[in-house]
Amino acid sequence: MASLETLRLQFQQRYGRAPRLFSAPGRVNLIGEHTDYNEGFVLPMAIERRTHVAAAPRADRRIRVFSQEMNEAAEFELSADLQPLEGKPSGAWVNYVRGVAACLDNDWFTLGGADLFITSDVPLGAGLSSSAALEAAVGFALLSVSEQSGSLLNVALALQKAEHEFAGTQCGIMDQYIACLGQADHALLIDCRSLGCENVPLQLGEARIVICNSGVRHALASGEYNTRRAECAEGVRRLAQHLPGIQSLRDVAIEEFDQIAQILPDAIRRRCNHVITENTRVAYAVDALKRGDLAFFGKLMTASHESLRHDYEVSCQELDVLVKLALRQPGVYGARMTGGGFGGSTVNLVEAAHINFFVEKVSHEYAKACGITPEILITGAEGGVREDQ
Ligand code: GLA
């Protein structure tokens, strides 16, 4: 990603006038995976990689957009019956833009036309939510140049709807929420039922968050994701016959679950076990972070990985190798896959003094085992969507 000045100039050259600049971050989830669509708890933070959008309003209802990374332009008219563009693979960038425009224009806000220029340094397909960064940056840019303002939570909900309807993933709210509402130097404990959150200071002492991108993305990811969601719903349906009044896995205590878990088919039992235990791990992790107990925080991260690998079955060989290699290095408190899974990245908590050795060792050993050189990022917690000057 070049400088904001370059982005301004590129916009000017393409569209012949001056833009305003907006950006939204990628995210890494520290713990609380696949709990968001079960009305549970998550603990993500925004990372130091952002998607930038230069934008200027138009007098008509046309959206013209150029993506620098894809080197591709698109145009469409804002209208009540905007649909995903046929013939594009699910997840095509242009459908995110169309989805964001459609869902923001119809639900809470009234948009006008705009010219947009997009550029990003959030790695694609790395489980770091480049899609929510794109949605949030485009959405915030469209709203701002249309002189609309409102609650960022409503923006996040509209972006989630865009992902459901235009990208085909029945995702939870975590990614859009943190892209909109992330706070610098904090992780966000999000209650995915009430949609309230608590900003938890990221007090890591001499340790750092290190992200390892496995470089793999499994093609089945979005289908498998929707299947997991359906399995959890089925678990709730069956458990409710014995625990009347439960609305979601959030309402089931571990002890209660252990007593009746045998009524569930094996796969569904394991999916539910992951979600129920993961919610507890998030609560303990927040407490550990507040006390500065990094050793316990790290143990919870690693336990989360084991649960995702064994019970939820959303890890893959490459992620498991990365976690195993990480845990063998000195100065590592914990390691786990992060995000939806089936490829993407791991998140690691590593003592700063050991990071150089960690990067060297894990890169080398992972390349030897899997034939891929991992991309490794060291990041602090950033702020959410914003206008840049
Ligand atoms: C993806 C989804 C999120 C969340 C994670 C798993 O990133 O977009 O809503 O479900 O997977 O925790």
Side-chain angles (χ1 to χ4, degrees):
M1 160 64 209
S3 69
L4 293 181
E5 228 17 74
T6 311
L7 175 57
R8 220 183 282 279
L9 283 173
Q10 283 170 318
F11 184 95
Q12 189 114 27
Q13 274 164 8
R14 187 166 189 93
Y15 297 113
R17 58 217 168 98
R20 287 165 67 186
L21 306 184
F22 305 89
S23 66
R27 65 99 187 90
V28 65
N29 188 17
L30 299 179
I31 195 160
E33 216 66 82
H34 289 276
T35 46
D36 61 351
Y37 52 85
N38 288 300
E39 299 190 341
F41 298 91
V42 292
L43 188 68
M45 62 180 230
I47 60 172
E48 291 167 6
R49 294 292 186 100
R50 302 183 79 85
T51 295
H52 295 264
V53 174
R58 297 172 56 87
D60 56 15
R61 303 250 308 146
R62 205 148 182 80
I63 303 288
R64 292 194 300 178
V65 52
F66 178 75
S67 159
Q68 183 161 51
E69 274 62 45
M70 301 300 162
N71 191 24
E72 200 181 352
E75 279 194 51
F76 60 91
E77 202 72 19
L78 285 169
S79 82
D81 54 5
L82 202 56
Q83 299 295 325
L85 204 59
E86 297 278 321
K88 288 274 175 189
S90 87
W93 74 274
V94 62
N95 280 335
Y96 283 102
V97 179
R98 291 168 76 91
V100 167
C103 294
L104 281 174
D105 197 34
N106 285 339
D107 281 7
W108 286 284
F109 308 100
T110 310
L111 298 182
D115 290 335
L116 307 172
F117 190 108
I118 305 172
T119 181
S120 181
D121 62 8
V122 184
L124 294 180
L128 301 176
S129 224
S130 59
S131 58
L134 172 64
E135 289 158 358
V138 167
F140 195 64
L142 287 176
L143 288 170
S144 303
V145 300
S146 308
E147 285 166 29
Q148 301 282 296
S149 60
S151 118
L152 283 175
L153 179 57
N154 282 348
V155 174
L157 287 166
L159 302 178
Q160 180 193 22
K161 185 166 179 231
E163 180 101 23
H164 287 192
E165 294 180 1
F166 283 70
T169 304
Q170 298 300 310
C171 65
I173 190 64
M174 171 170 70
D175 302 347
Q176 291 76 18
Y177 197 115
I178 188 75
C180 289
L181 290 146
Q183 296 287 323
D185 303 323
H186 291 77
L188 251 60
L189 169 64
I190 306 171
D191 177 336
C192 299
R193 169 174 281 167
S194 72
L195 299 182
C197 77
E198 179 188 340
N199 293 324
V200 184
L202 197 67
Q203 300 176 75
L204 299 179
E206 290 304 307
R208 299 285 175 271
I209 298 297
V210 180
I211 298 168
C212 301
N213 177 2
S214 70
V216 293
R217 170 160 226 181
H218 289 202
L220 290 174
S222 132
E224 287 288 333
Y225 184 94
N226 293 345
T227 306
R228 292 298 177 283
R229 198 175 170 139
E231 287 170 332
C232 291
E234 176 62 11
V236 172
R237 201 186 61 75
R238 289 175 185 247
L239 288 170
Q241 292 165 4
H242 300 261
L243 302 169
I246 63 163
Q247 303 295 318
S248 70
L249 294 175
R250 147 80 167 270
D251 298 318
V252 184
I254 294 180
E255 305 73 34
E256 228 169 18
F257 178 71
D258 285 345
Q259 277 173 18
I260 55 167
Q262 74 284 356
I263 65 157
L264 299 174
D266 179 58
I268 298 207
R269 181 182 55 72
R270 285 184 291 125
R271 307 302 184 244
C272 294
N273 191 57
H274 165 71
V275 174
I276 294 167
T277 57
E278 185 80 349
N279 276 329
T280 304
R281 280 187 287 273
V282 175
Y284 280 124
V286 168
D287 189 54
L289 192 54
K290 287 179 179 167
R291 286 185 290 107
D293 186 348
L294 299 188
F296 191 44
F297 191 89
K299 283 209 167 65
L300 292 161
M301 290 171 77
T302 307
S304 167
H305 183 77
E306 278 312 301
S307 179
L308 287 158
R309 183 178 75 78
H310 178 263
D311 279 349
Y312 219 66
E313 295 184 285
V314 290
S315 186
C316 63
Q317 194 215 331
E318 293 86 350
L319 290 171
D320 294 342
V321 168
L322 274 175
V323 166
K324 212 175 188 176
L325 287 173
L327 293 174
R328 271 194 216 144
Q329 309 311 320
V332 174
Y333 291 106
R336 58 182 289 274
M337 56 155 276
T338 185
F342 305 107
S345 297
T346 62
V347 55
N348 308 267
L349 184 58
V350 187
E351 274 297 328
H354 290 93
I355 287 182
N356 287 345
F357 185 76
F358 176 95
V359 171
E360 206 176 293
K361 262 311 233 202
V362 171
S363 301
H364 179 74
E365 297 286 322
Y366 181 67
K368 214 162 74 184
C370 299
I372 305 167
T373 303
E375 182 185 6
I376 302 189
L377 316 174
I378 300 151
T379 184
E382 258 281 344
V385 73
R386 66 180 181 223
E387 179 160 9
D388 295 304
Q389 297 308 325

